Amino acid sequence: ARFKPLGRYLLPEPFVQGKVVSLVLDDNVILGTPVYIEDIGYFRNCFQFNICAVIGSRVGIEPYRDLAQKLAISFRALEVEIKLLSNPADANVNLIKGLLGSLR
């Protein structure tokens, strides 16, 4: 619920896709790269997502900018190839948790 009002910033207009977006929230910085995949197979012909990292504001964010870009590219490819994010199957959820958990 805390992040819900940030939706319009985390999934901004499509022209921002592929660019790292950062937001300051209290003592944290939220970094992500919005992804938009246009395809008639999706509801409204588009699938949107943003894998974000929440980082303490006292930490240098430059290395995380590269991480945000790489996550966007990797998860876009996984979505296009196997519908990893748009298919809510338990196996996919566990795979996503494992992938993101390994980054800690």
Side-chain angles (χ1 to χ4, degrees):
R2 179 176 173 190
F3 296 109
K4 191 170 185 169
L6 302 177
R8 69 183 178 139
Y9 302 107
L10 296 176
L11 283 174
E13 296 297 319
F15 71 87
V16 180
Q17 73 176 326
K19 297 179 175 92
V20 176
V21 174
S22 61
L23 301 167
V24 177
L25 178 66
D26 300 326
D27 290 334
N28 297 303
V29 177
I30 303 169
L31 283 173
T33 303
V35 176
Y36 293 76
I37 302 171
E38 293 185 29
D39 188 306
I40 60 170
Y42 294 116
F43 180 69
R44 296 188 182 171
N45 300 324
C46 185
F47 186 72
Q48 307 171 9
F49 65 91
N50 191 349
I51 307 289
C52 294
V54 180
I55 304 153
S57 62
R58 293 188 174 102
V59 175
I61 64 169
E62 281 309 309
Y64 296 99
R65 294 178 65 77
D66 292 340
L67 174 66
Q69 287 283 355
K70 289 178 183 174
L71 284 171
I73 290 167
S74 298
F75 275 91
R76 184 185 199 291
L78 289 166
E79 176 58 30
V80 168
E81 291 173 25
I82 62 171
K83 304 289 187 238
L84 180 74
L85 298 171
S86 63
N87 181 359
D90 289 341
N92 285 354
V93 171
N94 290 334
L95 179 59
I96 294 167
K97 285 180 181 179
L99 289 170
L100 296 177
S102 68
L103 297 174
R104 289 184 180 196

